Amino acid sequence: CRTGHGFFGEYFAHFVPTNDQSCPCGEPLQTREHILAECPIYDDHRETLREASEDLIISDLLGTEEGIKALATFIRQSGAFKKLDQPNHPPDDSEPLSMP
């Protein structure tokens, strides 16, 4: 997510143009900003991000220690930025946390 590489439309537009670039919510181009700040699919998980940046400022979420911790929690809980054909299951707390 931080580097702009991942399973989302904006990345596909540049690197895998044969993949669908739209968001499942109907937005024509799924971007990091859309997922983090606007997409209704992730509304239930966005409070975690607001704890680090009340106004969901992308540079705060991607560029500060507090933002990165909140982002990791958001990704883990929401399943954002993962392959759409992978099941979203709660991680085992013993698994090390990795960032996409």
Side-chain angles (χ1 to χ4, degrees):
C1 175
R2 290 186 68 217
T3 64
H5 290 76
F7 300 107
F8 58 101
E10 185 176 30
Y11 173 83
F12 295 146
H14 293 289
F15 299 103
V16 192
T18 56
N19 281 23
D20 185 11
Q21 299 163 19
S22 65
C23 182
C25 78
E27 183 70 23
L29 180 62
Q30 183 187 49
T31 65
R32 287 184 306 183
E33 292 81 4
H34 172 72
I35 292 169
L36 296 175
E38 303 164 0
C39 184
I41 293 171
Y42 302 106
D43 281 347
D44 291 343
H45 302 284
R46 204 162 280 123
E47 191 57 38
T48 300
L49 298 175
R50 289 190 194 287
E51 291 174 11
S53 177
E54 186 176 329
D55 295 324
L56 301 173
I57 298 168
I58 301 304
S59 60
D60 290 346
L61 296 173
L62 301 178
T64 66
E65 186 174 345
E66 184 178 7
I68 292 167
K69 286 179 182 178
L71 177 63
T73 300
F74 170 81
I75 291 170
R76 188 176 65 239
Q77 291 176 347
S78 70
F81 302 104
K82 70 174 186 158
K83 283 182 111 172
L84 293 177
D85 60 350
Q86 293 178 338
N88 189 18
H89 59 82
D92 180 342
D93 287 337
S94 65
E95 292 178 24
L97 180 63
S98 63
M99 287 193 194

